[in-house]
Amino acid sequence: MHPLQLVGYALAGTLLSALVAWVPALHVYNVAGLIILVTLRWPGAIPTDGLAMLMLGLVTGYATLNTIPSVFLAAPDESTIFIVLPSQKYLMQRRGYEATVLTGLGGLGGIACLLALAPFAGRVFSVLRSILQPHLHWILALIIAYMLLSEWPKGSDRAPTAWGRLWDGWRSLLAGIATFLLSGLLGFVILYRSVVPLEMAFQNLMPAFVGLFAIPWVLTNLLSGTQVPPQHIARSVDVSPVLAIRGVAAGVLGGLFAAFFPVVTGGIGGFLAGQATAQRDDRLFLLSQGAAKVVYYVGGLLLWFVPGLHLTRGGMASMLSGLYTPYTPQTYWTAVGAMALSGALAFFLLLILARGAVALVGRVDYRWLSAGTLVLLIVLVVGLTGWGGLLVATAATGIGLLPVLWHSRRMNCMGVLLLPITLNMAGLGPVIAGWLGLL
């Protein structure tokens, strides 16, 4: 196909992502899987290279626009879970629109950095892959250890007894470890004994992520009876160029880390980068997380387009790799150009849709929005994965509520992927699965 036609497919994917962004917790990979199913049923409906570009535009738009439900409806996924707490603070201060724009600016900065790195991607990542590939299992194990160790004991030191103060300090840490282990156990069950229908196997993780991340937030909104104040649409954001560069740089660092290493998501990469750069400012945090999730989603797919590399990272590249393989430098540079245009379009769509979200939360009671979101989540889970998927989502919700109730990090819910896959890489996964009676 002509490069301009391919760019057209990418921009169409970006426009489609604007519709997806309005559906809370509907992940881009779920939509992509359904599109691929349709194209397999009607071969030739979309050329394979056009399909790849459509997915590139879809994932670029989603990585920018999924900020909207995370800020205004509090229905996060694994890539936006870290954005939620600062953005909710902004929302209750009438600054939800500003939080959305800050995150979007971070994403736009991430696109610019990917564009600057594009000429060097093939050489740099080929060397990194050859060096790091044999060591991925213990690197992931170190990431897990750091995640758990950084869940430092918390407490007010106000309990009347020594045992009370000890429990007050360590309960959040113990809850974090329990969350990680229980979600890891759920991951083993999903991986080795999935209850999702075979024809919907590509949606295997969807009910778990909905239960771990989205439903607990919605239930919290319903039980707390949160009243969202009227939102102010700012004409500018309170961030200097130096602060913006710092936030974007940290986010790009975390996003590239997540895009290159398997299983590590943009949220985890952004968290590690934030720790490494000692971020304490909410503005820095929102900028860096916006950059991290865009670089994670888009950069992970762009690595698949690199000639001679074809690094399959993330769900989108995995789904496309069985249908099409980009070989030529022309295809790669077309993808880079399409990414830049799609990123710019997605940012302008974000400004428009965020205004619509401000109007929505201003006119509709937040509890009704939360109740509608909960119903929609259940319908999506049952519709895409059946009653078995609803069972998984229910179990995952119980695990996802532990951090809410005990004030530990929700990042520990990523044990659903990190634990089984790390153990599989180390050759221990089947042994553990056998002990659990899953084989």
Side-chain angles (χ1 to χ4, degrees):
M1 293 182 66
H2 192 277
L4 289 179
Q5 291 177 294
L6 294 175
V7 171
Y9 273 105
L11 295 177
T14 307
L15 293 174
L16 177 60
S17 71
L19 299 177
V20 176
W22 280 103
V23 183
L26 180 60
H27 202 282
V28 64
Y29 295 159
N30 305 136
V31 177
L34 293 174
I35 293 173
I36 289 174
L37 276 182
V38 171
T39 57
L40 289 175
R41 183 166 296 182
W42 287 283
I46 301 178
T48 53
D49 52 353
L51 177 65
M53 290 296 173
L54 178 75
M55 295 305 181
L56 177 63
L58 180 66
V59 79
T60 302
Y62 173 83
T64 300
L65 298 172
N66 73 337
T67 303
I68 293 172
S70 299
V71 171
F72 293 101
L73 301 177
D77 63 14
E78 82 287 352
S79 69
T80 57
I81 190 67
F82 299 104
I83 297 172
V84 169
L85 289 178
S87 67
Q88 290 298 289
K89 185 192 302 183
Y90 269 64
L91 186 69
M92 299 312 292
Q93 294 173 348
R94 306 173 185 264
R95 299 167 66 193
Y97 181 81
E98 186 178 347
T100 305
V101 174
L102 279 171
T103 309
L105 284 172
L108 199 60
I111 292 290
C113 289
L114 286 176
L115 194 61
L117 290 170
F120 318 103
R123 182 175 301 176
V124 171
F125 286 101
S126 293
V127 173
L128 285 176
R129 178 170 63 177
S130 62
I131 294 173
L132 297 176
Q133 188 69 34
H135 309 288
L136 289 178
H137 60 286
W138 65 260
I139 294 175
L140 290 177
L142 287 178
I143 292 172
I144 292 172
Y146 182 79
M147 283 171 50
L148 296 177
L149 289 172
S150 65
E151 187 80 75
W152 195 250
K154 307 177 183 73
S156 61
D157 201 28
R158 294 177 182 174
T161 65
W163 285 109
R165 289 191 294 272
L166 181 67
W167 170 246
D168 189 37
W170 280 82
R171 61 182 178 180
S172 62
L173 174 61
L174 295 175
I177 295 172
T179 301
F180 183 84
L181 293 176
L182 288 172
S183 62
L185 177 62
L186 179 64
F188 267 104
V189 173
I190 292 171
L191 186 63
Y192 286 94
R193 285 285 184 91
S194 176
V195 294
V196 174
L198 185 61
E199 64 274 13
M200 300 300 288
F202 63 92
Q203 305 281 14
N204 204 16
L205 288 169
M206 180 259 198
F209 278 120
V210 168
L212 290 169
F213 296 108
I215 293 180
W217 268 112
V218 174
L219 291 177
T220 303
N221 292 340
L222 285 171
L223 294 175
S224 65
T226 302
Q227 295 293 329
V228 177
Q231 298 297 300
H232 170 67
I233 298 179
R235 295 182 178 274
S236 62
V237 290
D238 180 23
V239 60
S240 66
V242 173
L243 200 68
I245 291 172
R246 285 179 56 197
V248 169
V252 169
L253 178 65
L256 287 175
F257 184 86
F260 182 78
F261 283 93
V263 192
V264 179
T265 64
I268 295 175
F271 163 76
L272 294 174
Q275 293 278 312
T277 55
Q279 292 179 4
R280 294 293 182 268
D281 191 299
D282 283 343
R283 296 168 298 171
L284 274 176
F285 192 82
L286 291 169
L287 284 164
S288 66
Q289 291 297 321
K293 67 188 178 73
V294 167
V295 172
Y296 161 63
Y297 279 116
V298 182
L301 181 56
L302 202 61
L303 289 175
W304 177 66
F305 282 93
V306 176
L309 184 65
H310 303 308
L311 193 62
T312 304
R313 291 288 184 265
M316 190 68 82
S318 299
M319 284 187 282
L320 287 172
S321 60
L323 302 174
Y324 170 72
T325 301
Y327 287 108
T328 66
Q330 182 187 29
T331 303
Y332 171 61
W333 288 110
T334 301
V336 171
M339 171 203 70
L341 292 174
S342 294
L345 175 60
F347 180 74
F348 286 110
L349 289 173
L350 178 73
L351 300 180
I352 297 170
L353 295 179
R355 289 174 178 265
V358 167
L360 181 66
V361 297
R363 291 190 174 96
V364 182
D365 188 281
Y366 202 62
R367 283 171 293 185
W368 283 108
L369 287 174
S370 299
T373 300
L374 180 61
V375 172
L376 182 59
L377 291 172
I378 294 172
V379 170
L380 285 173
V381 169
V382 175
L384 292 175
T385 61
W387 296 106
L390 183 61
L391 179 64
V392 171
T394 303
T397 299
I399 300 170
L401 283 171
L402 288 176
V404 177
L405 298 174
W406 298 98
H407 308 293
S408 60
R409 285 200 187 112
R410 290 171 182 168
M411 173 177 60
N412 296 313
C413 292
M414 284 306 299
V416 70
L417 286 179
L418 283 170
L419 189 60
I421 293 181
T422 301
L423 290 173
N424 279 343
M425 286 182 172
L428 300 174
V431 177
I432 304 298
W435 291 348
L436 297 173
L438 298 173
L439 295 179

